[in-house]
Amino acid sequence: MKALAYSASLMAVLIAPAFAQEQTQPAAAQTQAEPSQVVVLSEWRYEPLYATGWSVDQVFDEATVVGRNGEEIGDVENIIFNKQGDVVALIAEVGGLWDIGDTHVSIPWNEVELSQDASRITVPVSEETADNYAAAAGDSGTIRQGEAGEVATVEEDLATGPNLFKATDIIGDALYLGNTDRYGYVNDIIVNDGKLAAVVSDTRRTDGRGYYAYPYTGPTAWMTHPGRYNLPYRADEITVMQVFDYNKMQRKGGTDQGTTSSTQPAPNTAQ
């Protein structure tokens, strides 16, 4: 009887890990089956971008930076995002008309007011206060996530630390389908509701049709290979895409009233 009991106990010890492993397999399978962040293009719609989105490329080219009193004080140099695509800061070049000379300032996005037509950006910087802001990036010339929450002076050739990136890190990148087929380049990015919503490709030299706005799928699309942006789609998957029409963009950005522009942005190859 003792031998039989011992055999039964030994069998239980041997079977238990296998049973436990079998029990955990459904949970693992469920984790692997979680929905991907890649948007199915047949379900992707431009209407939200047309209704409330705004073009970063157009802000670079046309927007004027003004102080609280409405005085023109500079231009937009760059826009900083976190890896989730949230806008976190504006980089402006200010002071051209002041005694302090040109100064680059990082301004938290929650302190920026964007006009309805995205042509006027109001910031809490004046000639009297511009000299008071400490350098965010110090001697390293790199701004980090914690530093993006304060108004601060920065280097002209500002770099970003982990979890942050600049709009110009994407705009101008060569565009690839599935990491293999060259397909134009990134001409613009569209922000909607404070987030990077779409990456616009210029494929006029590829297929002669014009611009396409693809959903932003996260930093893995461009961080692996600097200078290139990889769309997670095959050539046959993009056939459902319609040409992106900049003329339809309303570009509502803030509380100020403005007019809607129909100007398409010119190709931008800045890095």
Side-chain angles (χ1 to χ4, degrees):
M1 291 295 294
K2 288 184 179 180
L4 182 59
Y6 176 79
S7 297
S9 300
L10 180 60
M11 184 65 70
V13 170
L14 293 175
I15 292 176
F19 177 76
Q21 184 176 4
E22 184 179 359
Q23 290 294 93
T24 60
Q25 284 178 351
Q30 184 177 7
T31 301
Q32 294 173 357
E34 289 178 355
S36 170
Q37 292 185 352
V38 177
V39 177
V40 178
L41 292 182
S42 61
E43 301 174 358
W44 172 241
R45 299 290 181 267
Y46 288 160
E47 282 72 17
L49 305 181
Y50 290 150
T52 55
W54 50 271
S55 158
V56 169
D57 186 77
Q58 186 164 13
V59 165
F60 284 168
D61 290 344
E62 302 177 10
T64 299
V65 177
V66 301
R68 294 294 190 203
N69 60 0
E71 173 194 11
E72 182 178 339
I73 62 174
D75 301 298
V76 176
E77 283 287 300
N78 228 314
I79 295 174
I80 296 180
F81 300 85
N82 62 24
K83 286 187 177 180
Q84 289 71 43
D86 302 310
V87 186
V88 296
L90 172 84
I91 306 298
E93 183 180 12
V94 302
L97 303 177
W98 304 336
D99 292 336
I100 64 172
D102 290 336
T103 302
H104 290 80
V105 182
S106 171
I107 305 159
W109 190 248
N110 60 7
E111 297 187 34
V112 171
E113 295 178 12
L114 181 67
S115 68
Q116 187 177 22
D117 66 349
S119 66
R120 183 181 177 92
I121 296 178
T122 305
V123 299
V125 178
S126 66
E127 183 175 4
E128 292 72 26
T129 62
D131 255 348
N132 299 335
Y133 299 119
D139 296 331
S140 68
T142 301
I143 188 170
R144 294 170 176 81
Q145 194 161 16
E147 299 162 337
E150 301 290 338
V151 180
T153 57
V154 294
E155 297 290 334
E156 180 176 0
D157 55 348
L158 178 71
T160 54
N163 301 315
L164 297 179
F165 65 93
K166 298 178 292 185
T168 52
D169 290 335
I170 297 179
I171 295 177
D173 281 1
L175 195 73
Y176 282 79
L177 295 175
N179 202 23
T180 56
D181 300 325
R182 177 71 183 269
Y183 191 64
Y185 71 97
V186 178
N187 178 74
D188 193 6
I189 54 183
I190 305 297
V191 174
N192 195 16
D193 195 24
K195 284 183 171 290
L196 199 169
V199 175
V200 180
S201 68
D202 184 352
T203 60
R204 290 174 296 179
R205 294 183 181 178
T206 305
D207 60 15
R209 294 184 64 192
Y211 302 101
Y212 299 92
Y214 294 92
Y216 176 66
T217 56
T220 55
W222 53 271
M223 292 191 68
T224 307
H225 303 286
R228 61 189 290 171
Y229 190 99
N230 300 312
L231 290 173
Y233 305 109
R234 302 184 309 271
D236 61 317
E237 291 179 294
I238 66 170
T239 57
V240 300
M241 296 287 288
Q242 300 294 317
V243 174
F244 187 74
D245 187 355
Y246 276 96
N247 294 328
K248 295 182 179 180
M249 290 192 70
Q250 300 300 312
R251 293 178 296 119
K252 297 176 182 178
T255 57
D256 296 340
Q257 296 300 311
T259 57
T260 300
S261 170
S262 61
T263 304
Q264 289 189 352
N268 186 338
T269 56
Q271 290 292 327

